[in-house]
Amino acid sequence: MTEQNAVTQTTDLGSESNSSTPVQKVDLLGMDRQAMEAFFKSIGEKPFRAGQVMKWIHQFGVSDFDEMTNLSKALRENLKSVATVRTPKIVAEQLSEDGTIKWLLEVDNKNSIETVFIPEKNRGTLCISSQVGCALDCSFCSTGKQGFNRNLENWEIIAQMWVANKALGCLPKEERRITNVVFMGMGEPLLNVKHTFPAARILMDDFAYGLSKRRVTISTAGVVPAIDMIKAEVDVSLAISLHAPNNELRNILVPINEKYPLELLMPSLHRFVEGGHSKKHVTVEYVMIDHINDRIEHAHQLVELLGDLPCKVNLIPFNPFPNTDYKRSSNNAIHRFRDVLENGGLNVTVRKTRGDDIDAACGQLAGKVKDRTKRTLHHVEMNLKQKTN
Ligand code: SAH
């Protein structure tokens, strides 16, 4: 292990940890502007206090009301008695040789989640989690293999940005290192819209992180009814984890396809783009797995399937994890696949794998999940049965 990727144990950036938070107090970290304004009205204050407090929390990383110096002493005392700013405990922080940083955050006694910061030349992307584990069981994803425990709440989702922004210095907006946020960590964000949508609104709020809607991306395995809610509720950007050009293969790789097959999914992507600005598009993610979905005929089928959908295709070399039989496609196969897509008129990029020395690459986020689905055990039992028969 290099000095750089050493693990820092138990750093708590916040002044109040969730374990010491009395349950009856209102938590302000996860409130979007509307909720925060309603809260201030409810305690007899003017709604503009919402913006002031959001700035302190999100832009300056302050969780202690005493530090919010433009509020009167009386208001600060009142806030201390009725409200709190819950912050998660940072269990570990790991730095990759390529500059990628991964944080492991404890969200309750039994579970932890992972968040990853990926610096690039002209931008910095934070990859955040939306659930503890994942219920979808995509066959190539290590998060899915751990099973599902629960949805994250607003504050737990936004806390990932809060922690990362604070660790990176809480800089003024023009200098901030996190320029983009993607919901591509653990979990399926569109099976938790009740909490991911308010968190996305906080990311885009000028009193908080002020990111434009082009720089906040929800990635989904294809929860069609929720795709149809995005435009009206948050209007963020959309990435679809497609991974297969036909239902037969997609049912195996992304089993939610059985519920929302391509004939339902594709029209919902067209509806998402419809009526938007000229550059509005969908990002299509396609993980390249050796001899599974990387054949030339799959590329031709994909060109056909995407048709005139305004989109950018992102080919993701499969990232292996323990106990998987899948392998990464060869570079040759990836380049051949890309060429067919490009000749078919598609805009294609091949994603560089980042942070794999700290297990921070796509699909490798594991955290610590107390599986309530008992899927892991089920898998083990199935494997044992097969081996003993
Ligand atoms: N549930 C959401 C978000 C989480 S996955 C979704 O399905 O989009 C984020 C991205 O990582 C998805 O495109 C996912 O398919 C991809 N991914 C998962 N496991 C991977 C692996 N082992 N290698 C490469 N990409 C993977």
Side-chain angles (χ1 to χ4, degrees), residues 65-96:
F65 294 118
D66 280 333
E67 288 178 42
M68 303 186 182
T69 46
N70 59 352
L71 307 181
S72 68
K73 185 102 197 333
L75 175 54
R76 279 184 263 158
E77 289 305 321
N78 189 14
L79 283 176
K80 276 196 268 181
S81 65
V82 297
T84 183
V85 181
R86 280 173 105 174
T87 56
K89 188 160 160 198
I90 304 173
V91 184
E93 180 180 281
Q94 283 177 282
L95 182 63
S96 157

Side-chain angles (χ1 to χ4, degrees), residues 134 136 140-142 183-189 219-221 239 241 243 285 287 316-321 351 362-364:
C134 188
L136 295 184
F140 55 87
C141 179
S142 98
F183 285 81
M184 292 186 192
M186 301 167 72
E188 169 51 53
S219 179
T220 180
S241 291
H243 308 313
E285 298 168 279
V287 61
I316 314 169
F318 170 69
N319 289 308
F321 51 87
R351 190 181 291 175
C362 294
Q364 290 186 327

